[in-house]
Amino acid sequence: MRRLLRHPVRLVPFGFLAVILLGTGTLMLPWATSEQHYTPFVTALFTSTSAVSVTGMAVNDTPNYWNGFGLTMITVLTQVGGLGILTGAALVILAVSRQLGLHNRLLVQAETAEFGIGDVRRLLVGIAATVFATEAVMTTVITGRLWLVYDYPPWSALWSAAFDSIQAFNNGGFTLYSDGLLAFSRDPWVALPLALGAIIGGLGFPALFEAVREWRRPGRWAVATKLTIWGSLALIVLGSGYLLLAEWANPATIGTYDPPGKLLATFTQIALSRTGGFDVINVDQLTEASYPLLIILMFIGGGSASTAGGIKVSTFFLLAFVIWAELRGEPDVTVGRRQVARASIRQALTVALLSVALVVVGTVLLVVITAGVRYYQALFEVTSAFSTTGLSLGVAPNLSHPGQYALTALMYIGRVGPLTLGSAIALNTRRRLYHYPEEQPIVG
């Protein structure tokens, strides 16, 4: 235990696991389901893990299988998973005692990837204000739309709007509609708040706060902030354009929409496909050219220290700069007139390559243990689970128990793995006082 306290980042996996098991036990109870029966362990575990890891992948029809208590529990688990177990605990401590000890600051530092211990209090207040203010605005706008235009009863409109807003900002994918958000794909008053909320939640608090604080001087942003903000913008713009062209004439998705509707639907789908996991158009009816795009976007994910998963935008674009520097024969990797530390490059390579290995192994395993699943379907589901996105081609509900356990493990690893691995690498960095003779092996 003393060793864990010396390295608080090691407590993160145990914190997530404890909440997952608590959620599993609660969801197994009969008063959590519409039919008032006990939920099988594998179903409850899958759902709880999906909620805490802010994935949103489901093995049943969420709005019909779970009752109000079960849906509320899923909402709470998603909010806790989005904020982070240790961050949420520190917020409670801060609200009660108005102060944080050094140990609690180290815990939050480990989870939020903030390296300035003295700024933890301000960081926590900023996180809480951003999360709840953004969710409140989203809920207000969508509630008014559902109530005034779609004739929802006021309480029903509020519940639906709050549920989807919390899921969107925390980059979960659960929804109260069996067909996802297809009914609102051309309604900007519902689709845009959810898309923008997912984008804000997926940027990561360090990058978001710096971008807001220094919005007049983007040239002074840190390298990580530049990579995250401009990289996310590039992925959304390019991804939306690609999906728009690929699905323009597809009658099963957006082929029957007018041009503004096509643009809104593709933008919203791309914004939510990177991290959120909502179905704005029929994902299982996409053209074959669209699936590689969604797989790539899911694998990249969102920003560091955000509610999103994946290898992170900064990692992906940092590796792109590494390749560019190597192709040009430059000895150093520079981003925005800043030289990138070699330790950061090694960490990015480690996270990316291990993530690729996990996705490949998971895909092969899912194909082997599940009859009738095609390779691209398995790759899509595994990538979605590992990146905690939640998009699905409808394979997850039909998987055998071993297949569902495999996806459950991937969701858990995808939520805590990159965070724990990156922090552990940083903590274990040691300075060697000697060097071996250098040699250059043949590459390529």
Side-chain angles (χ1 to χ4, degrees), residues 190-321:
V190 176
L192 284 181
L194 295 177
L196 294 176
I199 292 172
I200 294 173
L203 287 177
F205 296 114
L208 179 63
F209 292 163
E210 183 179 20
V212 172
R213 185 174 61 251
E214 301 286 347
W215 68 274
R216 292 184 177 181
R217 295 172 291 184
R220 298 182 60 179
W221 291 351
V223 170
T225 301
K226 292 178 180 178
L227 292 175
T228 300
I229 299 296
W230 300 126
S232 297
L233 180 62
L235 291 175
I236 292 173
V237 172
L238 296 177
S240 299
Y242 181 95
L243 187 65
L244 183 65
L245 294 176
E247 300 298 322
W248 184 273
N250 184 0
T253 55
I254 63 172
T256 60
Y257 294 5
D258 58 6
K262 294 176 189 284
L263 184 61
L264 176 63
T266 51
F267 166 77
T268 306
Q269 186 63 71
I270 290 299
L272 295 172
S273 294
R274 293 178 55 241
T275 55
F278 287 105
D279 285 344
V280 181
I281 58 180
N282 287 312
V283 174
D284 56 350
Q285 298 294 324
L286 294 171
T287 60
E288 292 188 1
S290 298
Y291 289 119
L293 169 68
L294 295 186
I295 291 173
I296 292 172
L297 290 178
M298 289 190 298
F299 183 75
I300 296 173
S304 299
S306 72
T307 57
I311 64 171
K312 308 304 182 187
V313 177
S314 57
T315 301
F316 175 79
F317 282 99
L318 176 57
L319 293 178
F321 276 98

Side-chain angles (χ1 to χ4, degrees), residues 172-187:
F174 291 102
T175 180
L176 298 180
Y177 307 98
S178 298
D179 58 352
L181 300 178
L182 268 65
F184 308 107
S185 61
R186 287 176 285 182
D187 188 341

Side-chain angles (χ1 to χ4, degrees), residues 47-133:
T47 305
S48 180
T49 305
S50 182
V52 175
S53 65
V54 292
T55 303
M57 188 175 288
V59 292
N60 46 41
D61 187 6
T62 299
N64 294 317
Y65 185 88
W66 305 104
N67 60 15
F69 174 78
L71 293 172
T72 301
M73 189 64 192
I74 290 174
T75 304
V76 172
L77 292 173
T78 302
Q79 186 73 82
V80 172
L83 277 174
I85 306 301
L86 303 178
T87 303
L91 284 172
V92 174
I93 296 172
L94 181 60
V96 173
S97 64
R98 297 288 183 178
Q99 60 182 355
L100 284 175
L102 178 60
H103 172 62
N104 291 314
R105 294 188 181 200
L106 288 172
L107 292 179
V108 182
Q109 176 194 357
E111 187 164 336
T112 59
E114 283 290 306
F115 298 101
I117 297 178
D119 294 333
V120 170
R121 180 189 178 93
R122 180 170 54 85
L123 174 68
L124 289 175
V125 173
I127 289 176
T130 302
V131 171
F132 297 118

